[in-house]
Amino acid sequence: MSKAIIELEAVGKSFRSADGTARPVLEGVDFRLAEGEIVSLLGPSGSGKSTLLRIMAGLIGVDSGDVRYRGHPLYAPARGVSMVFQSFALFPWLTVQGNVELGLEARGVGPAERAKSAEAAIRMIGLAGFEGALPRELSGGMRQRVGIARALVIEPEVLLMDEAFSALDVLTGERLREEILELWTSGEMPTKAILIVSHDIEEAVLMADRVLIFASDPGRIRFELPVPLPRPRDPESAEVRRLIDEVYALMTTGEPRAGRPAEEPAVLQLAERLPEADIGRMEGLLELLAGDSFEGRADLPRLAEETELTDDELLPLAQALSLLGLASIAEGDLHLTPLGKRYVESEHESRQALFGEQLLAQVPLVAHIRSSLDQEASGELPEEPFVRLLSESLDAVEAERVLRTAIEWGRHGEVFEYDYNTGLIRLPRSEAAAETAE
């Protein structure tokens, strides 16, 4: 077994909510990053992946467990670890050369030496001749190259990449990913291990020696999949497609909660996050699934290609349809259920009624909002109490996002209405009028 560079054992991390309540973000994370390997980390948004990377870089501490770098406890930023961010994070007033030199300057490296090292890193990453350019003069791909050169110039043992390719267009991201792998394979890159946080399943399989799948609330490693294929890997090869299918299957596998047998279906809790799924896209996916191309069953990787949706867009849609009983997910395939078929064949009003029935039956948050409205004499309530309820388990941004999703779904299913001017949730006008008449 290769020598470990970074090791995490039973790591836990919590953040304080606005009301002072501790909200666990990571729990019981065991992880080992060894020399000579690339590891990809996949998981839903908000599951704590970026927090994990910052812990590994020594930027934030842990509440429980141990973090070790080369066998020693890690309590501060590790000199041998660099990070590349999705947002490029360049200083707009500095040139390419100036941005790349920053890390060396912070370490006290003299002007002549840091200029020489920066020029070498810029040349290695394919930006020779652009040393004097400002970030605004560069394309997105070139700006990300600057970010990578800045990370590599300090010759780190570990490179942490947090969604480093996701802000780029598909072709630019693919080209940059391939160039990083070429540098890694050739040994020109000084780095001894890479950890990549990604939302792209194909990218993870093409790059990594191991794929880790993260769960959320709190974040923890659910599955680990070895990728025993030599690089470079052909994305169309049978072996790669099989592994991509396997990752899709693992990503969509429900995890039993304590006290519930594994064979029972997953049931959302009241303050649990909802998939971020747009109703129009959900309906479009159902109609495509019911059409002649798929005839009620679709392989998720093929569905991603057909719809041109990213994995980060497709998986929440599939999970939402599964949650509502309109589709089911098994072994990485999406199947149209009899209820989903009925939905597709129905007219608009019947679709809304069916959607509303499923919301009340399957989504506790929507059912709770509706029950609260039924018990209120005025038939209306402000949204704030529901945000506070969600904030007990989720951070403020995610609590707002989950409530917004519940409201959009509830409005479509005519379970309740929402006034965007006042922030009031109310019973549908027809029902409120009927109750008043009674």
Side-chain angles (χ1 to χ4, degrees):
M1 185 177 290
S2 299
K3 189 175 181 180
I5 302 179
I6 297 178
E7 294 175 280
L8 281 67
E9 184 176 345
V11 162
K13 179 68 180 177
S14 297
F15 291 118
R16 294 280 172 187
S17 300
D19 61 358
T21 305
R23 184 181 66 83
V25 177
L26 300 174
E27 183 177 271
V29 178
D30 295 314
F31 176 65
R32 180 181 187 274
L33 185 64
E35 290 186 11
E37 70 171 349
I38 299 176
V39 177
S40 282
L41 183 59
L42 298 169
S45 297
S47 58
K49 302 186 301 297
S50 294
T51 299
L52 183 65
L53 258 64
R54 282 155 178 77
I55 287 172
M56 293 174 64
L59 300 177
I60 57 176
V62 300
D63 298 325
S64 59
D66 297 306
V67 183
R68 294 183 293 276
Y69 179 82
R70 290 295 187 187
H72 300 287
L74 183 62
Y75 298 120
R79 291 182 65 86
V81 179
S82 276
M83 287 190 68
V84 180
F85 303 93
Q86 174 185 357
S87 61
F88 312 142
L90 304 181
F91 290 99
W93 58 87
L94 293 178
T95 63
V96 168
Q97 180 86 17
N99 270 286
V100 175
E101 285 187 20
L102 274 179
L104 297 173
E105 185 177 358
R107 295 189 175 194
V109 177
E113 185 179 347
R114 68 173 184 253
K116 181 179 178 181
S117 296
E119 287 167 6
I122 291 167
R123 184 169 58 254
M124 178 175 64
I125 207 67
L127 282 179
F130 289 90
E131 291 84 354
L134 292 169
R136 67 170 181 270
E137 300 171 313
L138 306 176
S139 66
M142 294 170 77
R143 288 198 293 273
Q144 190 59 296
R145 287 173 190 270
V146 178
I148 294 170
R150 184 177 57 192
L152 294 178
V153 74
I154 65 170
E155 299 188 350
E157 287 194 300
V158 175
L159 183 64
L160 305 177
M161 306 187 80
D162 192 1
E163 301 282 354
F165 309 113
S166 61
L168 308 174
D169 64 80
V170 174
L171 291 177
T172 301
E174 285 180 1
R175 185 165 59 250
L176 190 50
R177 181 183 70 209
E178 289 168 0
E179 290 176 12
I180 292 292
L181 287 175
E182 287 174 7
L183 290 172
W184 169 264
T185 304
S186 68
E188 187 177 351
M189 180 188 291
T191 304
K192 295 178 180 177
I194 301 177
L195 178 63
I196 302 164
V197 166
S198 178
H199 281 298
D200 189 321
I201 292 173
E202 181 175 295
E203 174 184 289
V205 171
L206 290 175
M207 293 193 76
D209 300 295
R210 287 188 289 147
V211 176
L212 306 181
I213 296 173
F214 229 46
S216 57
D217 302 323
R220 61 213 180 277
I221 296 171
R222 289 177 61 203
F223 302 107
E224 177 178 325
L225 180 69
V227 185
L229 301 176
R231 283 183 287 261
R233 296 165 185 163
D234 179 2
E236 301 305 322
S237 70
E239 295 88 350
V240 167
R241 301 319 300 178
R242 179 186 61 77
L243 285 167
I244 289 172
D245 283 346
E246 190 169 351
V247 175
Y248 268 101
L250 293 174
M251 290 281 288
T252 53
T253 296
E255 185 174 29
R257 293 185 178 276
R260 189 184 76 224
E263 64 272 12
E264 290 187 15
V267 178
L268 284 181
Q269 304 300 302
L270 181 61
E272 192 166 350
R273 67 182 73 221
L274 299 176
E276 190 169 4
D278 173 77
I279 292 162
R281 282 184 165 182
M282 289 164 64
E283 290 195 336
L285 204 57
L286 279 178
E287 289 165 359
L288 184 63
L289 195 59
D292 294 339
S293 296
F294 293 104
E295 298 181 337
R297 175 186 171 279
D299 172 67
L300 281 170
R302 186 186 162 205
L303 197 56
E305 292 176 6
E306 185 81 13
T307 58
E308 297 185 351
L309 294 172
T310 65
D311 297 327
D312 201 28
E313 294 167 332
L314 176 61
L315 290 177
L317 292 172
Q319 289 160 353
L321 293 173
S322 176
L323 172 64
L324 296 173
L326 302 175
S328 63
I329 303 171
E331 298 181 349
D333 291 348
L334 190 64
H335 301 259
L336 188 70
T337 62
L339 190 66
K341 187 172 187 295
R342 189 175 126 209
Y343 185 94
V344 171
E345 293 171 349
S346 298
E347 298 298 325
H348 179 68
E349 289 185 2
S350 298
R351 285 186 176 189
Q352 286 183 295
L354 194 156
F355 196 89
E357 290 170 8
Q358 291 305 106
L359 283 177
L360 291 171
Q362 302 298 127
V363 184
L365 175 59
V366 172
H368 174 69
I369 294 172
R370 175 56 193 246
S371 175
S372 300
L373 293 172
D374 285 336
Q375 295 172 48
E376 186 66 27
S378 65
E380 62 182 30
L381 286 167
E383 62 184 324
E384 286 82 3
F386 302 111
V387 173
R388 286 199 299 272
L389 172 66
L390 292 170
S391 295
E392 293 175 5
S393 303
L394 306 171
D395 66 46
V397 173
E398 188 64 5
E400 289 278 0
R401 201 277 303 164
V402 168
L403 182 60
R404 209 56 51 215
T405 298
I407 287 171
E408 287 304 312
W409 290 7
R411 289 177 66 241
H412 179 70
E414 298 188 324
V415 177
F416 42 72
E417 296 177 354
Y418 179 72
D419 188 324
Y420 286 92
N421 293 318
T422 63
L424 289 173
I425 307 171
R426 57 170 64 102
L427 290 172
R429 288 187 179 84
S430 57
E431 296 184 33
E435 288 185 10
T436 302
E438 290 176 5

